[in-house]
Amino acid sequence: MSTAHVYEAPERAVKNAWVSGMDAYWTLCAEAERDHEAYWARLARELLSWHTPFTKILNAEQAPFFKWFEDGTLNASYNCLDRHVEAGLGEKTAIVFEADDGTVARVTYKDLLERTCRLANAMKARGIVKGDRVVIYMPMSVEGVVAMQACARIGAIHSVVFGGFSAHSLRDRIADTGAVLVVTADEQMRGGKALPLKAIVDEALSGPGHAVRDVFVYKRTGGAVAFQAPRDKWLHDVAAKEPASCEPEWVGAEHPLFLLYTSGSTGKPKGVQHSTGGYLLHAALTTKWTFDLKPDDVFWCTADIGWVTGHTYITYGPLALGGTEIVFEGIPTWPDAGRFWKMIEKHKVTIFYTAPTAIRSLIKAAEGNEKAHPRNYDLTSLRILGSVGEPINPAAWEWYHLHIGGGRCPIVDTFWQTETGGHMITPLPGATPLVPGSCTLPFPGIAAAIVDEQGHDVPNGKGGILVVKKPWPSMIRTIYGDPERFRKSYYPEELGGTYYLAGDGAIRDEKTGYFTITGRIDDVLNVSGHRMGTMEIESALVSHTVLVAEAAVVGRPDETTGEAICAFVVLKRPRPTGEEAKKIAKELRDWVAKEIGPIAKPKDIRFGDNLPKTRSGKIMRRLLRSVANGEAITQDTSTLENPAILEQLAEKN
């Protein structure tokens, strides 16, 4: 990395930035290092409105079950809505919603508050009280955001389930949370197609083992759905008759705001529990500093509310700051692959936050279709770009910087997790010099470090395990119903029981100290005694910009080397077969050997029209490991964009 091209923060980004220049960054880091608790307390008082001011900052008596600001009370919905209306911003646009078919609706802060209050009152009328769990199984919509805000308003704990999950997955989450209410829609629209939601809820609730009393159904398409009285009710019917005001439920800062289920290494989903005060602080602070959000910005995070990115950077962060944001129902490739660029042009988006998988697929589309190329759209409104979900390989970073940002927009390559609540390692656009492929430096106040298997610091230039040495406000509080699993998963005794284990490998540059994520710890391959991160090999493959559009790498057992590298590759040309496939596979093996070294050459390269991804763009590497091992697929594949791709990838060259 020391020899990589460095992009200095452009003058236009530095000017008037919330964190302006590296001196400002280091000053904040020094403040946090000097008095960790006082630093976070200052920010909590500045960014949030407290009903009862806190006097306690950090309680570590039962570590790792840390508590922040525990004697303070507040309400997340009040912080996101009421205080802006009270400040005279009621007519400011909060959400610009663009539907799958291109229809646009604008919702002001006053409108959003009233809709939230009506739904909150409807929940209360059905007996929902503080602490009850509500499962939200919704399409990308204003109503989805309203449902989350309504739960927060009355102190109910929401658990959003991505609209692509199967009835089985939904049933498991409903049962684990003990939810008493499900909020859903008749159908959702994606790529011009109506997909069922209510029918999946019906299937999930068809057996025993759940506590659901009511189902509120948002009429999105008007498609025919079965109704079960008195359980099922149209959302617009129950909300319309309720008052447009609802007193917030003032909750303790440690009151759970939401549960969000994430995959675990065991295959059993984990219910990640986040608090109200600490989580909301980090959501607001990272939105402000990482994206340099200003009152006149138009912010667009392309994530789904079913994932933590949609929680933090759609439902809570931008709204807590009184920002204007885009909520998009559709997909980036429909009606054509120029959809994202057309929307940026139309809505004058200034801050754009998306995933590397989306970027790489749009690179491929742009090279094969002139209409989809970003040069055909006016993207000059953009001032900051962001990347989220997995490390962005340097080739995609460079394309994103040049073709979308016009070479003038800083890219904030953000590392964080469902469990962290918000950004942990990220550039700040008005301060940090950028290096493609590196998430750069820790967010001020985050004590990120790299250690060995015994918890000892490793020197810069040597890879190790990524940890966080000090607690921070938005950290996971527990795994719902399984505190022991929380302790073992995130604060293992092998590391002394005091460091948060991120589960990722990382390395710091010898000269700059910049972090680069090398992949999940369980995705670190040991080939003939050499440890290599799968992300490193994937980046090498994708850097062959003439041939490769996308790649995913997994390991499989090998009698000779211990572990063999298996690569799944999507080319920028039709999928080859026979001798042609063998020829291209050899070229790519030689390329990886040149980029990394002979030891990194994949033993097996398979070609596919695409990779197995969820509809949110996440590559399902666990399924790829099963394919590489020749195992039958037993996992749920209902959330995949194209389940049939697994058969194609099972074919050897």
Side-chain angles (χ1 to χ4, degrees), residues 425-582:
I425 307 174
T426 178
L428 301 183
T432 318
L434 306 174
V435 172
S438 170
C439 50
T440 70
L441 295 168
F443 191 84
I446 301 301
I450 300 175
V451 300
D452 61 21
E453 284 82 354
Q454 288 75 46
H456 302 129
D457 288 320
V458 301
N460 287 358
K462 183 175 180 178
I465 299 167
L466 181 64
V467 299
V468 183
K469 291 187 172 183
K470 295 180 181 179
W472 68 100
S474 67
M475 63 196 301
I476 175 178
R477 293 308 195 258
T478 190
I479 293 174
Y480 186 69
D482 198 345
E484 192 53 36
R485 187 182 182 193
F486 162 75
R487 188 191 296 271
K488 288 181 178 177
S489 297
Y490 301 109
Y491 287 89
E493 288 302 323
E494 308 91 85
L495 299 180
T498 58
Y499 291 172
Y500 169 82
L501 175 64
D504 284 283
I507 189 169
R508 296 190 79 167
D509 184 68
E510 290 185 78
K511 293 183 180 178
T512 64
Y514 277 17
F515 284 76
T516 296
I517 307 300
T518 55
R520 296 293 296 172
I521 291 172
D522 54 7
D523 284 342
V524 174
L525 308 181
N526 192 327
V527 182
S528 299
H530 297 270
R531 290 170 62 84
M532 287 171 291
T534 56
M535 292 295 180
E536 185 180 14
I537 303 167
E538 289 173 10
S539 286
L541 285 163
V542 178
S543 70
H544 194 309
T545 54
V546 175
L547 277 177
V548 180
E550 254 190 311
V553 169
V554 298
R556 60 176 171 80
D558 186 272
E559 289 182 2
T560 305
T561 60
E563 208 164 12
I565 300 167
C566 185
F568 297 87
V569 175
V570 179
L571 297 175
K572 292 181 175 179
R573 40 156 298 166
R575 175 174 169 262
T577 56
E579 291 302 313
E580 185 184 24
K582 291 178 182 177

Side-chain angles (χ1 to χ4, degrees), residues 259-276:
L259 306 174
L260 187 57
Y261 285 78
T262 184
S263 298
S265 57
T266 64
K268 181 186 177 186
K270 300 175 289 190
V272 172
Q273 180 176 313
H274 275 290
S275 71
T276 299

Side-chain angles (χ1 to χ4, degrees), residues 365-441:
E367 292 182 353
N369 177 2
E370 176 61 25
K371 185 179 179 182
H373 202 286
R375 64 171 158 257
N376 296 308
Y377 301 88
D378 180 3
L379 306 181
T380 55
S381 62
L382 289 169
R383 68 182 188 91
I384 292 169
L385 302 175
S387 174
V388 62
E390 59 183 281
I392 181 170
N393 57 291
W397 193 105
E398 295 279 7
W399 186 92
Y400 194 28
H401 184 258
L402 177 63
H403 292 285
I404 308 307
R408 70 185 187 282
C409 298
I411 297 175
V412 288
D413 177 6
T414 60
F415 169 79
W416 61 296
Q417 303 169 314
T418 302
E419 295 88 343
T420 71
H423 303 150
M424 300 297 281
I425 307 174
T426 178
L428 301 183
T432 318
L434 306 174
V435 172
S438 170
C439 50
T440 70
L441 295 168

Side-chain angles (χ1 to χ4, degrees), residues 564-602:
I565 300 167
C566 185
F568 297 87
V569 175
V570 179
L571 297 175
K572 292 181 175 179
R573 40 156 298 166
R575 175 174 169 262
T577 56
E579 291 302 313
E580 185 184 24
K582 291 178 182 177
K583 181 181 176 182
I584 295 175
K586 181 182 184 304
E587 181 178 346
L588 293 178
R589 285 192 190 94
D590 293 343
W591 175 268
V592 172
K594 174 175 169 288
E595 291 290 301
I596 301 175
I599 195 66
K601 289 172 69 170

